[in-house]
Short mmCIF file of all heavy atoms in Angstrom, two decimals:
data_model
loop_
_atom_site.label_atom_id
_atom_site.label_comp_id
_atom_site.label_asym_id
_atom_site.label_seq_id
_atom_site.Cartn_x
_atom_site.Cartn_y
_atom_site.Cartn_z
N ASP S 142 -33.88 -15.38 10.66
CA ASP S 142 -34.74 -14.57 11.54
C ASP S 142 -34.18 -14.43 12.96
O ASP S 142 -34.85 -13.88 13.82
CB ASP S 142 -36.15 -15.20 11.61
CG ASP S 142 -36.81 -15.26 10.25
OD1 ASP S 142 -36.49 -14.39 9.43
OD2 ASP S 142 -37.61 -16.18 10.03
N ASP S 143 -32.96 -14.91 13.19
CA ASP S 143 -32.46 -14.91 14.55
C ASP S 143 -31.98 -13.55 15.02
O ASP S 143 -31.65 -13.39 16.20
CB ASP S 143 -31.33 -15.94 14.69
CG ASP S 143 -31.86 -17.35 14.72
OD1 ASP S 143 -32.49 -17.74 15.72
OD2 ASP S 143 -31.66 -18.06 13.73
N TRP S 144 -31.88 -12.59 14.13
CA TRP S 144 -31.52 -11.24 14.55
C TRP S 144 -32.65 -10.59 15.34
O TRP S 144 -32.40 -9.76 16.22
CB TRP S 144 -31.14 -10.39 13.35
CG TRP S 144 -31.13 -8.92 13.62
CD1 TRP S 144 -31.99 -7.97 13.15
CD2 TRP S 144 -30.21 -8.21 14.48
NE1 TRP S 144 -31.68 -6.73 13.64
CE2 TRP S 144 -30.59 -6.84 14.46
CE3 TRP S 144 -29.13 -8.60 15.26
CZ2 TRP S 144 -29.92 -5.87 15.18
CZ3 TRP S 144 -28.45 -7.64 15.97
CH2 TRP S 144 -28.84 -6.30 15.94
N SER S 145 -33.86 -10.98 15.07
CA SER S 145 -35.02 -10.34 15.70
C SER S 145 -34.98 -10.42 17.22
O SER S 145 -35.14 -9.40 17.90
CB SER S 145 -36.32 -10.94 15.16
OG SER S 145 -36.41 -10.74 13.77
N PRO S 146 -34.78 -11.60 17.82
CA PRO S 146 -34.72 -11.63 19.29
C PRO S 146 -33.53 -10.85 19.85
O PRO S 146 -33.62 -10.27 20.94
CB PRO S 146 -34.60 -13.12 19.62
CG PRO S 146 -34.18 -13.78 18.37
CD PRO S 146 -34.71 -12.96 17.26
N VAL S 147 -32.41 -10.83 19.12
CA VAL S 147 -31.26 -10.05 19.57
C VAL S 147 -31.60 -8.56 19.56
O VAL S 147 -31.28 -7.82 20.49
CB VAL S 147 -30.03 -10.33 18.67
CG1 VAL S 147 -28.85 -9.47 19.08
CG2 VAL S 147 -29.65 -11.80 18.75
N GLU S 148 -32.27 -8.14 18.50
CA GLU S 148 -32.68 -6.74 18.40
C GLU S 148 -33.67 -6.38 19.51
O GLU S 148 -33.61 -5.30 20.09
CB GLU S 148 -33.32 -6.50 17.03
CG GLU S 148 -33.68 -5.05 16.76
CD GLU S 148 -34.27 -4.85 15.37
OE1 GLU S 148 -34.80 -5.83 14.81
OE2 GLU S 148 -34.20 -3.73 14.85
N GLN S 149 -34.56 -7.30 19.80
CA GLN S 149 -35.52 -7.06 20.87
C GLN S 149 -34.83 -6.94 22.22
O GLN S 149 -35.16 -6.06 23.03
CB GLN S 149 -36.54 -8.20 20.90
CG GLN S 149 -37.65 -8.01 21.92
CD GLN S 149 -38.66 -9.15 21.90
OE1 GLN S 149 -38.60 -10.02 21.05
NE2 GLN S 149 -39.58 -9.14 22.83
N ARG S 150 -33.85 -7.81 22.47
CA ARG S 150 -33.11 -7.71 23.73
C ARG S 150 -32.29 -6.43 23.79
O ARG S 150 -32.09 -5.87 24.88
CB ARG S 150 -32.22 -8.94 23.90
CG ARG S 150 -32.99 -10.21 24.27
CD ARG S 150 -32.06 -11.29 24.76
NE ARG S 150 -31.22 -11.81 23.71
CZ ARG S 150 -31.50 -12.86 22.95
NH1 ARG S 150 -32.66 -13.50 23.12
NH2 ARG S 150 -30.68 -13.28 22.02
N PHE S 151 -31.79 -5.97 22.63
CA PHE S 151 -31.06 -4.70 22.61
C PHE S 151 -31.96 -3.57 23.10
O PHE S 151 -31.54 -2.73 23.90
CB PHE S 151 -30.56 -4.42 21.19
CG PHE S 151 -29.89 -3.07 21.06
CD1 PHE S 151 -28.52 -2.93 21.27
CD2 PHE S 151 -30.61 -1.94 20.72
CE1 PHE S 151 -27.90 -1.70 21.15
CE2 PHE S 151 -30.00 -0.70 20.61
CZ PHE S 151 -28.64 -0.58 20.83
N ASP S 152 -33.19 -3.55 22.59
CA ASP S 152 -34.13 -2.49 22.99
C ASP S 152 -34.40 -2.55 24.50
O ASP S 152 -34.63 -1.51 25.12
CB ASP S 152 -35.44 -2.64 22.22
CG ASP S 152 -35.24 -2.42 20.71
OD1 ASP S 152 -34.29 -1.70 20.35
OD2 ASP S 152 -36.02 -2.99 19.92
N GLU S 153 -34.37 -3.75 25.07
CA GLU S 153 -34.64 -3.89 26.50
C GLU S 153 -33.43 -3.52 27.36
O GLU S 153 -33.58 -2.98 28.46
CB GLU S 153 -35.06 -5.33 26.82
CG GLU S 153 -36.35 -5.75 26.15
CD GLU S 153 -36.63 -7.24 26.32
OE1 GLU S 153 -35.76 -7.92 26.92
OE2 GLU S 153 -37.69 -7.72 25.88
N LEU S 154 -32.22 -3.79 26.84
CA LEU S 154 -31.01 -3.63 27.65
C LEU S 154 -30.26 -2.33 27.38
O LEU S 154 -29.38 -1.97 28.17
CB LEU S 154 -30.05 -4.81 27.39
CG LEU S 154 -30.61 -6.21 27.70
CD1 LEU S 154 -29.64 -7.28 27.22
CD2 LEU S 154 -30.84 -6.37 29.20
N ALA S 155 -30.58 -1.66 26.27
CA ALA S 155 -29.81 -0.47 25.88
C ALA S 155 -30.00 0.66 26.88
O ALA S 155 -31.06 0.82 27.49
CB ALA S 155 -30.23 -0.03 24.48
N CYS S 168 -27.38 -10.08 25.71
CA CYS S 168 -28.06 -9.66 24.49
C CYS S 168 -27.92 -10.69 23.38
O CYS S 168 -28.87 -10.97 22.65
CB CYS S 168 -27.52 -8.30 24.04
SG CYS S 168 -28.43 -7.58 22.67
N ILE S 169 -26.72 -11.27 23.22
CA ILE S 169 -26.51 -12.23 22.13
C ILE S 169 -26.81 -13.66 22.55
O ILE S 169 -26.71 -14.58 21.75
CB ILE S 169 -25.07 -12.14 21.58
CG1 ILE S 169 -24.06 -12.56 22.65
CG2 ILE S 169 -24.77 -10.75 21.05
CD1 ILE S 169 -22.63 -12.67 22.12
N LYS S 197 -27.01 0.05 17.89
CA LYS S 197 -27.69 -1.10 17.30
C LYS S 197 -27.06 -1.51 15.98
O LYS S 197 -26.92 -2.70 15.68
CB LYS S 197 -29.18 -0.79 17.11
CG LYS S 197 -29.97 -2.00 16.59
CD LYS S 197 -31.42 -1.67 16.34
CE LYS S 197 -32.17 -1.46 17.62
NZ LYS S 197 -33.63 -1.29 17.41
N ASP S 198 -26.66 -0.51 15.17
CA ASP S 198 -26.01 -0.83 13.89
C ASP S 198 -24.70 -1.56 14.12
O ASP S 198 -24.36 -2.50 13.39
CB ASP S 198 -25.78 0.45 13.09
CG ASP S 198 -27.08 1.08 12.60
OD1 ASP S 198 -28.09 0.34 12.52
OD2 ASP S 198 -27.10 2.29 12.34
N LEU S 200 -23.98 -3.35 16.77
CA LEU S 200 -24.34 -4.68 17.24
C LEU S 200 -24.72 -5.58 16.08
O LEU S 200 -24.38 -6.77 16.06
CB LEU S 200 -25.50 -4.59 18.24
CG LEU S 200 -26.02 -5.93 18.77
CD1 LEU S 200 -24.94 -6.67 19.57
CD2 LEU S 200 -27.26 -5.74 19.64
N ARG S 201 -25.40 -5.03 15.10
CA ARG S 201 -25.79 -5.81 13.92
C ARG S 201 -24.54 -6.29 13.17
O ARG S 201 -24.47 -7.44 12.73
CB ARG S 201 -26.67 -4.97 13.00
CG ARG S 201 -27.16 -5.71 11.74
CD ARG S 201 -28.08 -6.85 12.13
NE ARG S 201 -28.51 -7.65 11.00
CZ ARG S 201 -29.66 -7.47 10.33
NH1 ARG S 201 -30.48 -6.50 10.70
NH2 ARG S 201 -29.99 -8.24 9.34
N TRP S 204 -23.05 -9.06 15.24
CA TRP S 204 -23.87 -10.28 15.12
C TRP S 204 -23.62 -10.98 13.79
O TRP S 204 -23.51 -12.21 13.74
CB TRP S 204 -25.33 -9.92 15.28
CG TRP S 204 -26.27 -11.09 15.15
CD1 TRP S 204 -27.08 -11.38 14.10
CD2 TRP S 204 -26.46 -12.14 16.10
NE1 TRP S 204 -27.78 -12.53 14.34
CE2 TRP S 204 -27.42 -13.03 15.55
CE3 TRP S 204 -25.93 -12.42 17.34
CZ2 TRP S 204 -27.85 -14.16 16.22
CZ3 TRP S 204 -26.36 -13.56 18.01
CH2 TRP S 204 -27.30 -14.41 17.45
#
Side-chain angles (χ1 to χ4, degrees):
D142 299 331
D143 285 290
W144 164 249
S145 299
V147 177
E148 185 178 24
Q149 184 179 354
R150 286 194 292 267
F151 175 90
D152 295 334
E153 297 172 357
L154 301 172
C168 188
I169 65 173
K197 184 183 289 187
D198 291 338
L200 177 63
R201 182 65 184 265
W204 179 254

